[in-house]
């Protein structure tokens, strides 16, 4: 029979409000097709950081908006049932979804998710609480039906949504709403909404004051004995049930309210799918409290941090000390919640705020999903003695030092990108929020202009990788699981889930940027990855190499006579000269093999030549070289670039005979 293990004095069955974590953006969406289509404006995701666009400060913190803001919904106020049949082709009604695609597997996929995820949350809680962190499974001789009944009994006995749990949970939500509206903050304008004729919604951002006020109040309640922080741990099951139920209740109310008020946006005519994705785009309470902004930061990460503080409080009460592993999670969760707070005004232009609707996906994930599934690293430490998961002092030191180093990269990279955008728009203002990490702003950064009017940053951290902040996110997730060891799978749920999600998001972002920016984006990836420009050198090709090296890029030069090649700025790290005679197939293969051996992959391949300077006697030879021999090179380059991961790069042939062609 399973036994309950934790630091609790007794298996209390009341509840305490727990935090809810921000939406994961996109949970690894699988797209399907359906009958409707609409172009969507998209931008490269800009995660939160320590600084952001500030329009006005508000020392009095009255929380009111600058002028009246609409709900952020469709421009029509007619009340419709939300089940509008989308016509084929482009539509103009913002209430109808014209994308022609379903995400998450369509109605069947989202229905399955709405059923499976709450069950998974209860399953993980049962394993963490009653099965010593192991997977709950039938005992020998126990039938499946008896096993399922036993699991239901455990949920009823240990996770019943008590009155105390409702009071604590919703008391926290109301407190955060008051902080949102009345504490000091700044104003920031969101992205322009095409369906509102370019209108920008104004957001009030008081995250910094809200976070530190929450900590001060929580510590005061704990020290006074009015509300011990470890109550969150003791009442985790009931609070989780309240959060799950609240997620469904709020989603139902939000959907019904949007339909009743005619505030729906991009509806597909399928109620199951629309309920999951949402009906309203920018719902606000009395025009003051923006629900998406409110749920995005405060509810998830604040309670996750408070829950981890509760683990420390209980551990100190039982053992008289706080373990290094718990201290590590306190640091990690504080830094993340603090970064979300100080960078709240950066969130207003992100995909979640600009495009995602207010539906079950965002509501449930913020109210219940993130705070009660991402927290299992803390729950595991709460339910086991420090000796069970103890790391050596050198290992703990490595955890702390490496995490702070990666956090610096993450925070400064996000700041560099946001400051770059703000400086382009003329809205940059230096903030003094904690911490202001070194190298958070690049003065006169290198950039690549695009036809959209935006520029692509290729300086700072983004000259090394386009999605370096995603790599840091994945590192955070992995360390949250690693600090607990390998004796339980549940602390690793966040690590595995989030890493898979962030990889999918990175691939999605790259694809969107390729479609939006085209050739400038491909060029930016060369800057970011340090990939070589690949040139067959004849005539003016040497000038190209000089230009490439002068910009700090890498270049591979291929020619029949290497003795004539000399470039003052070349080094073994940024330049490789290779013998290649296009009429000799063996030199083609060996040249590409050498390039891959040195740089790991083949980048954009180009051939250039100076035909107008050739004498008549050499034209026939050059015709063979340029128009027949080159086919062997292109064939080899195409094959190599198609097989490498990621596949692709640009294949470009440039000649001065008959113009330039691709």
């Amino acid at each position: 029979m399973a036994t309950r293990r934790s630091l609790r004095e007794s298996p209390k069955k009341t509840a305490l409000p727990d935090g809810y974590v921000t939406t994961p953006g996109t949970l690894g969406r699988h797209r399907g097709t359906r009958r409707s289509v609409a172009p969507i404006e998209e931008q490269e995701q800009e995660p939160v950081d320590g600084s952001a666009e500030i329009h006005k400060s508000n020392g009095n913190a009255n929380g009111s908006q600058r002028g009246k803001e609409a709900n952020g919904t469709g421009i029509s106020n007619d009340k419709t049932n939300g089940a509008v049949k989308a016509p084929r082709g482009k539509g103009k009604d913002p209430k109808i979804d014209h994308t022609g695609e379903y995400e998450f597997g369509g109605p069947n996929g989202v229905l399955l998710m709405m059923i499976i995820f709450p069950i998974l949350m209860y399953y993980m809680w049962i394993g963490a609480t009653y099965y010593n962190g192991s997977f709950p499974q039938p005992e020998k001789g126990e039938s499946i039906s008896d096993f399922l009944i036993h699991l239901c009994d455990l949920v009823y006995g240990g996770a019943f949504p008590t009155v105390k749990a409702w009071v604590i949970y919703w008391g926290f939500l109301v407190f955060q709403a008051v902080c949102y509206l009345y504490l000091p903050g700044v104003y920031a304008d969101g992205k322009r909404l095409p369906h509102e004729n370019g209108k920008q919604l104004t957001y009030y951002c008081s995250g910094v004051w809200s976070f530190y006020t929450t900590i001060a109040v929580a510590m005061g309640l704990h020290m006074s004995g009015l509300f011990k922080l470890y109550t969150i741990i003791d009442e985790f099951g009931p609070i989780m049930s309240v959060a799950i139920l609240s997620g469904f209740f709020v989603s139902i109310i939000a959907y019904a309210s949007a339909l009743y008020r005619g505030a729906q946006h991009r509806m597909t005519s399928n109620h199951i799918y629309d309920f999951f994705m949402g009906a309203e785009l920018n719902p606000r309470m009395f025009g003051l409290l923006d629900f998406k902004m409110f749920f995005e930061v405060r509810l998830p990460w604040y309670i996750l941090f408070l829950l981890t503080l509760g683990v420390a409080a209980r551990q100190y009460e039982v053992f008289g000390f706080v373990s290094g592993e718990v201290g590590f999670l306190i640091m990690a969760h504080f830094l993340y919640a603090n970064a979300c707070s100080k960078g709240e005004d950066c969130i207003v232009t992100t995909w979640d705020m600009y495009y995602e609707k207010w539906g079950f996906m965002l509501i449930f994930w913020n109210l219940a999903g993130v705070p009660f599934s991402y927290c299992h690293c803390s729950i595991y430490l709460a339910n086991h003695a420090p000796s069970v998961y103890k790391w050596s002092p050198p290992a703990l030191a490595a955890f702390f030092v490496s995490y702070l180093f990666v956090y610096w990269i993450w925070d400064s990279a996000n700041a560099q990108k946001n400051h770059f955008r703000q400086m382009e728009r003329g809205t940059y203002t230096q903030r003094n929020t904690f911490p202001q990490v070194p190298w958070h702003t690049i003065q006169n950064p290198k950039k690549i202009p695009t036809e959209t009017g935006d520029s692509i940053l290729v300086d700072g951290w983004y000259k090394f990788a386009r999605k370096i902040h995603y790599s840091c996110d994945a590192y955070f997730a992995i360390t949250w699981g690693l600090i607990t060891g390998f004796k339980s799978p549940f602390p690793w749920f966040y690590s595995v889930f989030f890493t898979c999600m962030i990889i999918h998001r990175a691939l999605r972002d790259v694809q969107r940027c390729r479609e939006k920016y085209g050739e400038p984006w491909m060029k930016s990836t060369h800057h970011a990855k340090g990939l070589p420009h690949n040139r067959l050198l004849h005539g003016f090709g040497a000038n190209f190499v000089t230009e490439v090296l002068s910009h700090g890029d890498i270049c591979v030069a291929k020619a029949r006579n290497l003795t004539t090649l000399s470039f003052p700025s070349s080094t073994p790290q940024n330049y490789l000269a290779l013998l290649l005679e296009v009429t000799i197939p063996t030199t083609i293969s060996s040249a590409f093999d050498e390039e891959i051996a040195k740089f790991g992959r083949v980048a954009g391949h180009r051939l250039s030549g100076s035909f107008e300077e050739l004498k008549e006697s050499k034209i026939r030879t050059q015709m063979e070289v340029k128009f027949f021999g080159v086919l062997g090179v292109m064939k080899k380059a195409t094959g190599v670039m198609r097989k490498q991961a990621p596949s692709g790069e640009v294949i470009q042939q440039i000649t001065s005979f008959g113009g330039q062609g691709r």
Side-chain angles (χ1 to χ4, degrees), residues 27-218:
L27 311 176
R29 304 186 178 188
H30 175 71
R31 292 178 174 246
T33 59
R34 60 177 174 77
R35 289 186 328 208
S36 51
V37 244
I40 53 178
E41 287 193 20
E42 26 202 39
Q43 64 179 14
E44 189 178 355
Q45 181 85 10
E46 297 183 6
V48 296
D49 78 287
S51 22
E53 179 176 338
I54 291 112
H55 300 274
K56 286 188 180 179
S57 61
N58 178 19
N60 297 324
N62 58 12
S64 60
Q65 299 294 331
R66 293 181 300 174
K68 279 191 170 180
E69 299 292 351
N71 277 3
T73 57
I75 53 179
S76 170
N77 291 322
D78 298 334
K79 295 177 181 178
T80 63
N81 62 6
V84 188
K85 188 110 174 177
R88 291 181 180 273
K90 263 189 182 178
K92 305 219 175 162
D93 187 349
K95 292 187 177 183
I96 299 175
D97 184 357
H98 304 285
T99 63
E101 296 177 337
Y102 278 127
E103 298 185 275
F104 301 110
N108 293 334
V110 300
L111 178 62
L112 190 64
M113 291 174 65
M114 288 188 285
I115 295 172
I116 292 297
F117 203 81
I119 295 175
L120 176 62
M121 292 172 64
Y122 278 117
Y123 181 80
M124 291 195 297
W125 170 76
I126 291 172
T129 305
Y130 297 100
Y131 285 80
N132 198 30
S134 301
F135 287 118
Q137 50 189 321
E139 295 182 357
K140 188 175 182 180
E142 186 178 19
S143 67
I144 296 297
S145 60
D146 289 341
F147 173 66
L148 294 177
I149 292 174
H150 172 61
L151 296 185
C152 291
D153 288 340
L154 292 177
V155 171
Y156 182 81
F160 186 83
T162 62
V163 173
K164 180 180 179 181
W166 285 99
V167 171
I168 294 175
Y169 184 88
W170 280 93
F172 178 81
L173 266 62
V174 171
F175 172 74
Q176 289 302 321
V178 172
C179 290
Y180 176 102
L181 294 172
Y182 297 108
L183 290 180
V186 297
Y187 287 101
D189 289 334
K191 195 175 179 183
R192 295 188 181 278
L193 303 174
H195 69 281
E196 293 275 16
N197 297 318
K199 175 183 178 180
Q200 291 177 281
L201 295 180
T202 299
Y203 295 84
Y204 184 63
C205 306
S206 56
V208 174
W209 275 86
S210 295
F211 182 50
Y212 286 99
T213 299
T214 298
I215 295 175
V217 171

